[in-house]
Amino acid sequence: MKIEYTKSKKATTIIFSEGKVNRHEGSTLTIGAGKLDEIDTRGFIRLVRKVVRVARAQEIKHVALDVKDLQLKGIDYSEEELGRILVENMILANYEFVTYKKKEKGQYEGVETVSILGASAAFKKGAKTGEVVGGEVNWCRDLANIPGGDMTPTVLAKAAKEAAKGTDIKVTILERKDVEKLKMGLILGVDKGSAEPLKFIVMEYWGAGKTSKQKPIALVGKGITFDTGGLSLKPSEAMVGMHHDMTGGATVISAITAAAKLKLKKNVVAIIPAVENAISGEAYRPGDVLKSMDGKTVEVLNTDAEGRLILADSVTYAKKYKPSIIIDVATLTGAALVALGTHASAILTRQETLEKKLRDLGEVSGDYVWPLPLWDEYTSYTKGQIADLANIPREQARFGGTINGGMFIAQFVEKNQPWVHIDIAPRMEATSQDNLTKGATGEPVRLLVRLIETN
Ligand code: BES
Ligand code: ZN
Ligand code: ZN
């Protein structure tokens, strides 16, 4: 999708009406926006996406928008922010996952150009950022939508290298033997049942300079390329969709890539343990005890709680960078959907200021997050019987599942280390209210980019 700033005669002009119904007459597309004065920032994002979704349904290739029509009463965006939000969301709404579909000749492929009238320099600056970020979110969605048979750890590692091409990002891929040397027993345990070789992906972007005083942000993303549940096998219906279980990994690759493309003067590292949770005669068993990189032993009571295992070793690895903040992003628990429904990812952190900041940035970015506690009262549920820890509670495992997941990872992070766990299971797939195509949402790439920008 190309953004232009000249008035194109070929474009269909978008106007908003107070009604609910959309109309397409001649070269005007009227979008039913409801009460314009009542639209808030959340409504604005939905509206912008609706423009593209309606245009797509009408097979319109070129649209024109006037900036002054976008300056609504209920929204006090700066011109730059308006440009960014508009373009980001138009790009997200124009996305379809077509990799596996046969391309017909002359087939409609979405909105090709958006001509914007009355854009200021600040608006254009924001729009440029929006183009980069929107593109990265869609790149992430493309990866997350690839079926598990094709999205292997090897493919994810190649994608990380591909993403970094032409940027200042350094990519290092650690192989199984390197992971063995590092004694990452939790990652090795999860990997045992898979025929696919694991990859431990490390990306570094030293935008502020490696020798500068700025400590990097460490992004850690769950990269389970398919989650069968292991020997604690998932029921058939629950296994559908588990190719998305590497979404956390893909989001952190996209976020660091966006930071590099925007040439942010920030230091960022992204760490992605890419592993398949499969079954074979060699698969790890319920009851097995694994030894983590930091020396703690873990009883595996459920092989389907694999995300917290690979993240625990990855967070331990991240600490060698002495990061200012560690953020881990993971499709960790179905319980997060039970707690929050499908409209927010869960955030768990011991730093209240970080929690507030993420909630605010979530609101601005459109990647909404909501907190759950990490109180000391929950620590006992992480204890093992014959080992130091257990990956799920022995009793009451049905309750507080998202907190238990976060608490497990917390055992590998010092209390004074700023750290946040984001359970993105609720936002793994789009809902009808999102005005996006079905499948991966690419959340929370926009939130991560905002956090990098403001850290
Ligand atoms: N990848 C799943 C979590 C998940 C479920 C994400 C549904 C998105 C939608 C994770 O590895 C898992 O299986 N978690 C278990 C934890 C349980 C065994 C404590 C779960 O949620 O059932
Ligand atoms: Zn699982
Ligand atoms: Zn999983």
Side-chain angles (χ1 to χ4, degrees):
M1 195 166 85
K2 213 170 142 246
I3 311 295
E4 295 178 347
Y5 296 103
T6 49
K7 185 166 183 168
S8 164
K9 287 209 180 73
K10 282 179 274 168
T12 301
T13 306
I14 306 292
I15 54 173
F16 299 105
S17 85
E18 293 260 312
K20 284 234 157 85
V21 190
N22 311 309
R23 283 191 310 280
H24 185 204
E25 286 156 347
S27 61
T28 306
L29 181 61
T30 309
I31 304 290
K35 289 224 160 58
L36 284 168
D37 282 356
E38 288 174 11
I39 292 176
D40 57 8
T41 51
R42 288 182 177 229
F44 183 71
I45 288 176
R46 282 195 298 270
L47 179 63
V48 167
R49 291 174 176 182
K50 188 176 171 188
V51 169
V52 177
R53 296 312 289 175
V54 174
R56 287 187 68 100
Q58 303 280 338
E59 302 208 345
I60 295 167
K61 288 185 184 168
H62 309 285
V63 298
L65 275 161
D66 195 329
V67 173
K68 68 175 185 313
D69 290 337
L70 301 167
Q71 285 156 334
L72 304 174
K73 209 174 140 194
I75 302 162
D76 56 355
Y77 286 144
S78 66
E79 290 268 322
E80 185 174 340
E81 195 66 289
L82 181 66
R84 177 170 179 171
I85 302 273
L86 175 82
V87 171
E88 244 172 39
N89 286 287
M90 288 190 94
I91 290 174
L92 298 196
N94 204 28
Y95 171 85
E96 289 288 332
F97 184 56
V98 292
T99 311
Y100 289 84
K101 291 214 168 136
K102 183 174 172 220
K103 204 166 154 184
E104 303 290 345
K105 247 206 169 137
Q107 179 189 318
Y108 175 76
E109 288 178 70
V111 177
E112 288 170 21
T113 54
V114 180
S115 303
I116 299 173
L117 317 175
S120 63
F123 182 100
K124 291 179 188 174
K125 186 169 174 240
K128 270 228 131 45
T129 309
E131 269 190 88
V132 172
V133 178
E136 283 308 320
V137 177
N138 285 352
W139 183 88
C140 165
R141 292 161 88 189
D142 255 344
L143 282 194
N145 281 328
I146 294 175
D150 289 344
M151 174 46 65
T152 61
T154 305
V155 171
L156 191 57
K158 273 199 191 123
K161 281 203 161 157
E162 199 58 41
K165 263 198 192 137
T167 74
D168 291 332
I169 298 172
K170 182 180 157 220
V171 185
T172 312
I173 310 292
L174 304 189
E175 307 290 338
R176 174 179 244 281
K177 61 177 187 332
D178 306 310
V179 173
E180 279 168 359
K181 248 183 238 149
L182 288 164
K183 297 192 163 63
M184 295 172 143
L186 305 187
I187 294 179
L188 292 165
V190 175
D191 172 63
K192 273 176 78 183
S194 175
E196 290 293 333
L198 73 82
K199 303 283 164 179
F200 190 85
I201 306 164
V202 182
M203 302 172 83
E204 299 174 22
Y205 171 64
W206 302 103
K210 200 167 181 173
T211 52
S212 83
K213 284 210 185 78
Q214 195 189 101
K215 292 185 199 160
I217 290 195
L219 310 175
V220 180
K222 173 176 174 182
I224 293 290
T225 57
F226 193 78
D227 185 7
T228 64
L231 289 174
S232 313
L233 194 64
K234 284 183 183 295
S236 307
E237 319 81 67
M239 211 186 291
V240 174
M242 280 304 126
H243 59 293
H244 294 309
D245 214 18
M246 37 55 73
T247 304
T251 63
V252 305
I253 299 173
S254 281
I256 194 172
T257 307
K261 286 186 177 167
L262 294 170
K263 301 214 177 301
L264 300 182
K265 292 193 171 32
K266 304 287 177 180
N267 292 336
V268 190
V269 296
I271 294 160
I272 305 100
V275 189
E276 187 189 25
N277 189 21
I279 39 173
S280 77
E282 285 172 83
Y284 74 146
R285 306 158 193 79
D288 279 358
V289 174
L290 307 175
K291 190 166 184 184
S292 66
M293 185 183 183
D294 92 339
K296 290 187 192 73
T297 54
V298 181
E299 243 175 290
V300 178
L301 296 183
N302 190 317
T303 61
D304 198 10
E306 84 297 341
R308 63 199 72 184
L309 296 174
I310 64 167
L311 288 173
D313 271 346
S314 303
V315 162
T316 304
Y317 184 89
K319 285 193 279 190
K320 82 170 181 141
Y321 287 97
K322 302 198 179 349
S324 57
I325 311 178
I326 301 175
I327 302 151
D328 77 74
V329 185
T331 46
L332 207 78
T333 62
L337 282 134
V338 178
L340 295 172
T342 54
H343 298 289
S345 291
I347 48 168
L348 296 91
T349 175
R350 290 168 172 144
Q351 281 75 35
E352 259 177 58
T353 44
L354 193 52
E355 175 189 309
K356 173 83 175 67
K357 182 170 182 180
L358 279 161
R359 272 181 59 190
D360 290 347
L361 291 177
E363 211 50 53
V364 182
S365 66
D367 289 346
Y368 310 122
V369 295
W370 197 255
L372 287 174
L374 281 180
W375 296 329
D376 289 343
E377 285 88 334
Y378 295 97
T379 311
S380 64
Y381 305 116
T382 65
K383 300 290 181 218
Q385 189 172 293
I386 63 162
D388 301 322
L389 300 170
N391 73 335
I392 62 161
R394 214 175 217 94
E395 283 152 32
Q396 298 204 353
R398 281 190 313 123
F399 302 150
T402 304
I403 301 172
N404 293 335
M407 258 344 249
F408 181 85
I409 302 166
Q411 305 314 304
F412 297 83
V413 186
E414 284 65 38
K415 274 196 168 164
N416 60 359
Q417 164 71 57
W419 159 69
V420 57
H421 164 59
I422 312 185
D423 191 332
I424 58 168
R427 298 297 306 149
M428 185 172 85
E429 291 179 84
T431 71
S432 58
Q433 288 187 53
D434 291 329
N435 291 350
L436 296 174
T437 192
K438 288 204 173 78
T441 63
E443 291 189 21
V445 172
R446 290 172 299 165
L447 172 66
L448 295 175
V449 174
R450 297 262 182 184
L451 188 66
I452 297 168
E453 286 174 314
T454 57
N455 190 49

